[in-house]
Amino acid sequence: MNRTEAALARARAGEPVLPIWWTDEAGVCQCPKKANCPSPGKHPLTKNGLDDATCDEQTIQGWFTRWPNANLAVCTDLRPRFDVDLVEVAEALLEDVTLAYQAEVVRTPSGGLHVVLATEEPTPTKSLKLEDGRALGDLKAARAYVLVPPSKIGDREYKLLSPVEIGPLKVPDPCDWVRALLPAFGYHLASRGAGREHAYEGLAESIPEGSRHKTLTSYAGRIWVEGMSPEAFVASLEAVNGLQCEPPLPADEVDQIARWFTEGREQGVVGRTAQQRIEEAQRQLADKRPSTVWRPLPLGDDHFVRRYVRYAQSRTDAPPQYHEALALVQLSAVVGRSVHIPLAAKPDGMFCNLWLLMLGDSTLFRKTTSEDLAVDLLRAIDHEMFLANDQSPQGFLEEMAFRDGGPSVWHRDEFRSFLSQLKHASWMAGGKELLTKLYDGSPYYRRLRTKKHKGQEFPDEAKVETPYLVTIAAGVTSRIIDVLTIDDVIDGFLPRFIMAYPKERPPRRPAGTITEQIEAERRSLIDLLGAIRSGFAARGTCTVQFSPEVWRRWNEYAGEIEDEAATSPAPELFGPIAGRQADHALKVAALLQAAGGAPARGSNLLIEQSTLEASIELCERLRKDAEGLAMEVGSSTSERRLMRFVDMVKRSPGIQRTDVARALKVDKREMDSLEETALDRALISCGTKNTRGRSAKGYWCKGNGDEQP
């Protein structure tokens, strides 16, 4: 693969690329400074350096046509690199042959390593040292870049050690992952220092009594990876307990948390394959799923949500779960950034934007009809709040920039086509990351293509300082599941949606006509939404306030669902859902309270106990729907992988096990599970194949004449 092909492949995978100066065979930089260059072969060719990094294919092809010998670099904002400069440690890590099958691993020209990780949010770039004071290397993350194959320094290349299909390893916190990894190889990362100011990233500096066990269990789930030494794992938990828990938990309680993960392998819990854990979780979920009989939320009859549900039910026989969720989305759109939740765990607090995904097993669920009724009211208030349905990330960002500070409503009926484009269309590269940043309300800046006018170039850029994105999406369940993967759950993209996923549709009703009473209620609801919107717009941003009792109740709920997720058979799926669902409960409570109108100037929006309880009741329904979908996605992903395995064997009788593992991007444990399942179903046979004088395991299909000779 030449440099242009490698750069385009990286860009299509969502990694912005950058051309870098190159060296000659002697290692002399070919920039104007030549032998006096302080960073030979490692500094950008373009004028603006890192700010010029892009995924735009036309720009990339232009660069490498102009500079065919250029080295290739990628930005590390969302794919950090554990950059190991100390060769001794790099050699030790390479003794673990599974590392290159868990993450993309690159050997650097100096003998070091780059281990490619992936995070949901950018993390700081930092230097790393060992306990003995030696420099270990760096964690290259936000506002940094690294060289990638086929770049060279002198006559030595950056060499990919992993199979080409292996991607980044998803971790919650790269620094914590490194800290937990090294003790298994006899090394320890330097302490962050004594004192509370050096708290572990992602955790509060002080973890008070009442939340210590749940926080430490949640942290354990974040840093645990299969194959981690029990000693390193326990040491990490003890460090957090001693530094941040006030007072520290008893040692036996910390051991109990650690044993659930470390000994779970022997007990058949943590060490189960993904498919086995998913099947067990499905059984548990079925046992505890609440009744499918819907009942209205405990709100007053004149509350907007109750009124809207009655209005929508008078017009269609769609499941009421859709109408209830759509009522919340309408409140989310009209309130905008006027309601602010000062949640300490969020750098800028939290606003009340919601993403809704409506699912149904067929078109008979009337999803589109339900959407249209809600969209009709919002368009009557302000049709300009709606974004175009189908566009590139660049166009999407430009529209958001135009509406900066105001609500942007994205209505996408057949969501499957968008998800498919997001995963397969090159022009959608970076779309998923863009959406998640906009959801979180963080400022977003992106340099777009440079425009030319009368021979002059003008930089084109889009900046969204105060985004507020509301989403209404729908689809047939089986078609949506077909394009989703487990990664969409684990990386937090899918859990950002509230799910309306009724399992049964009400009996069909004969179609009726729009009566004067129905039209009068429609106009009344439009007036009510308009009054809520204008009231908050005139009031300006108001802060949500919780009484101590209400705040305590929410923390209890958040702790309960986090503990339930951590001890479930599939914590990697339920964990992200629990975290987002706790946030949803706060947003829904604020919206339910806001439906009563804006508070007076100088007053906060006080959440009543009954409002929070109604929010929790609704969010529990939504959580079960989200968990049910996650289970179906997990099962579907495993089954698709099995079918791909069998198809590969059919196409290439005798294919070696290592080749299958590379193509499917699975580790040894998952490959063992696939092989066992395929053998149990009598889909394949396996045996020994001699290749170039060496014996290796190979696979043959059964029943089609291609059995092992």
Side-chain angles (χ1 to χ4, degrees), residues 225-452:
V225 291
E226 188 66 29
M228 179 188 291
S229 75
E231 294 78 12
F233 183 58
V234 173
S236 296
L237 298 186
E238 289 176 342
V240 174
N241 184 48
L243 281 174
Q244 290 165 257
C245 291
E246 292 188 346
L249 286 170
D252 59 347
E253 194 168 342
V254 178
D255 288 341
Q256 182 183 29
I257 294 172
R259 281 199 306 273
W260 189 88
F261 290 89
T262 58
E263 296 179 3
R265 288 173 291 177
E266 285 73 32
Q267 298 170 356
V269 180
V270 177
R272 293 176 180 173
T273 67
Q275 177 64 19
Q276 290 170 330
R277 296 197 304 274
I278 287 166
E279 290 172 354
E280 174 63 21
Q282 283 177 321
R283 288 191 290 271
Q284 290 190 9
L285 196 60
D287 291 340
K288 66 183 181 182
R289 182 171 294 282
S291 169
T292 57
V293 177
W294 175 85
R295 63 188 182 92
L297 287 176
L299 303 167
D301 284 344
D302 59 347
H303 192 282
F304 172 77
V305 172
R306 292 284 293 270
R307 284 185 59 185
Y308 178 77
V309 171
R310 290 196 299 271
Y311 161 73
Q313 285 183 308
S314 72
R315 300 197 61 168
T316 177
D317 57 7
Q321 292 93 321
Y322 293 160
H323 309 321
E324 199 169 58
L326 284 164
L328 292 172
V329 171
Q330 292 172 81
L331 290 171
S332 173
V334 299
V335 165
R337 293 177 68 95
S338 297
V339 175
H340 179 251
I341 303 173
L343 190 61
K346 309 287 183 182
D348 299 314
M350 195 165 60
F351 293 95
C352 294
N353 60 310
L354 293 179
W355 287 6
L356 169 63
L357 179 57
M358 296 165 48
L359 297 169
D361 292 336
S362 74
T363 57
L364 298 177
F365 274 67
R366 317 275 197 258
K367 299 180 295 295
T368 301
T369 303
S370 301
E371 291 174 278
D372 290 345
L373 290 174
V375 168
D376 169 59
L377 300 192
L378 289 178
R379 287 192 181 277
I381 295 169
D382 181 6
H383 66 89
E384 291 187 353
M385 71 171 65
F386 285 86
L387 299 169
N389 281 348
D390 203 355
Q391 55 188 322
S392 67
Q394 176 174 321
F396 195 94
L397 190 59
E398 289 174 340
E399 280 209 63
M400 288 289 296
F402 178 75
R403 295 171 173 79
D404 198 8
S408 297
V409 180
W410 185 41
H411 175 210
R412 187 69 188 241
D413 186 18
E414 285 301 328
F415 200 49
R416 181 195 182 281
S417 60
F418 169 76
L419 291 173
S420 181
Q421 291 170 353
L422 200 63
K423 295 173 183 297
H424 304 300
S426 59
W427 55 273
M428 287 294 288
K432 190 173 179 181
E433 291 78 8
L434 168 63
L435 285 173
T436 54
K437 288 289 288 183
L438 294 176
Y439 172 91
D440 294 336
S442 304
Y444 192 90
Y445 170 81
R446 184 170 178 178
R447 185 178 294 276
L448 307 176
R449 299 180 182 179
T450 298
K451 294 183 177 179
K452 291 185 178 181

Side-chain angles (χ1 to χ4, degrees), residues 688-705:
T688 302
K689 179 180 180 180
N690 292 318
T691 304
R692 298 175 185 174
R694 298 170 59 186
S695 296
K697 179 178 282 190
Y699 300 111
W700 289 262
C701 268
K702 303 191 74 171
N704 64 351

